Amino acid sequence: MEIVRLNRGNLADINTPNEPFAIIGRLKPSFTDGKWSWTEELYDRTALKRYPNDDCNYAAYLDNPDKAIFLAYADGKCAGQIVLRKDWNRYAFIEDICVSASYRGNGIGTALIQKAVQWAKEKGLCGLALETQDNNLLACRFYAKCGFSVGAVNTMLYKNFEKPWSDETAIFWYMKFSP
């Protein structure tokens, strides 16, 4: 596997790893005594979900000191990507992370998170942040395994969409670097 920064030569590879993922349950967060915890609700049936490709000017990430996209290549294919931006609160915000279905479970997502940590530290940032939905339980488990903690929950973020998206709760995850 090789991870490279987005450049003009690989711009066409953006979003190729964006493939459906399994919805197996829901994260159920709770906030007690100033701390977040959660339980899991597993569904009887698994469903597939796919995010649409972002309508974004990815060329704006080229040579931009406050934004970066890293692509992971395996077997000559773009197998994963992570999209980052420097945020106002001194976190690097992960706008998107995805790994092709056939490469999941092989360490590509973890390697992309490590690359994000490296990039954020080089920028003098204090950590990583991202948002996912409560029904993306596999992603929530992955972020917890990587060392992220729940920092906030937003029950209204998706309410203006039609069902089933309007029933989703936004979970904000944070990885704070040690001083």
Side-chain angles (χ1 to χ4, degrees), residues 66 84-94 116-130 148 173-179:
D66 295 333
L84 304 160
R85 67 175 157 78
K86 185 177 177 182
D87 216 348
W88 63 271
N89 59 0
R90 300 187 61 214
Y91 282 94
F93 191 82
I94 298 172
V117 168
Q118 177 188 353
W119 182 83
K121 286 182 176 181
E122 288 171 0
K123 299 293 174 189
L125 301 175
C126 298
L128 301 176
L130 61 89
F148 286 82
W173 294 87
Y174 294 85
M175 177 192 288
K176 182 128 175 70
F177 304 151
S178 299

Side-chain angles (χ1 to χ4, degrees), residues 7-174:
N7 58 59
R8 295 199 189 286
N10 61 15
L11 194 55
D13 290 338
I14 287 287
N15 290 322
T16 55
N18 184 16
E19 296 179 357
F21 55 92
I23 300 294
I24 65 161
R26 178 180 300 271
L27 190 85
K28 299 181 78 169
S30 61
F31 190 70
T32 308
D33 297 327
K35 292 189 178 195
W36 285 102
S37 61
W38 67 85
T39 59
E40 296 180 358
E41 174 189 348
L42 297 177
Y43 296 153
D44 293 333
R45 294 183 186 181
T46 299
L48 288 179
K49 181 178 179 180
R50 183 182 191 277
Y51 293 122
N53 290 335
D54 291 328
D55 184 19
C56 179
N57 176 14
Y58 292 110
Y61 287 77
L62 298 171
D63 304 317
N64 187 327
D66 295 333
K67 295 181 176 185
I69 298 175
F70 294 98
L71 303 173
Y73 290 88
D75 304 322
K77 299 178 195 173
C78 182
Q81 72 184 36
I82 191 165
V83 180
L84 304 160
R85 67 175 157 78
K86 185 177 177 182
D87 216 348
W88 63 271
N89 59 0
R90 300 187 61 214
Y91 282 94
F93 191 82
I94 298 172
E95 298 178 51
D96 182 42
I97 181 171
C98 59
V99 174
S100 294
S102 61
Y103 289 94
R104 292 178 190 151
N106 293 309
I108 291 174
T110 301
L112 288 167
I113 294 291
Q114 290 168 348
K115 190 64 157 176
V117 168
Q118 177 188 353
W119 182 83
K121 286 182 176 181
E122 288 171 0
K123 299 293 174 189
L125 301 175
C126 298
L128 301 176
L130 61 89
E131 178 269 328
T132 195
Q133 296 74 40
D134 62 335
N135 67 346
N136 194 347
L137 184 56
L138 293 175
C140 291
R141 287 175 177 175
F142 170 71
Y143 300 133
K145 182 178 138 196
C146 286
F148 286 82
S149 300
V150 172
V153 172
N154 185 335
T155 61
M156 297 300 293
L157 192 62
Y158 299 105
K159 289 299 182 203
N160 289 332
F161 293 103
E162 41 188 70
K163 287 190 177 278
W165 301 282
S166 62
D167 293 331
E168 295 177 359
T169 296
I171 311 290
F172 290 85
W173 294 87
Y174 294 85

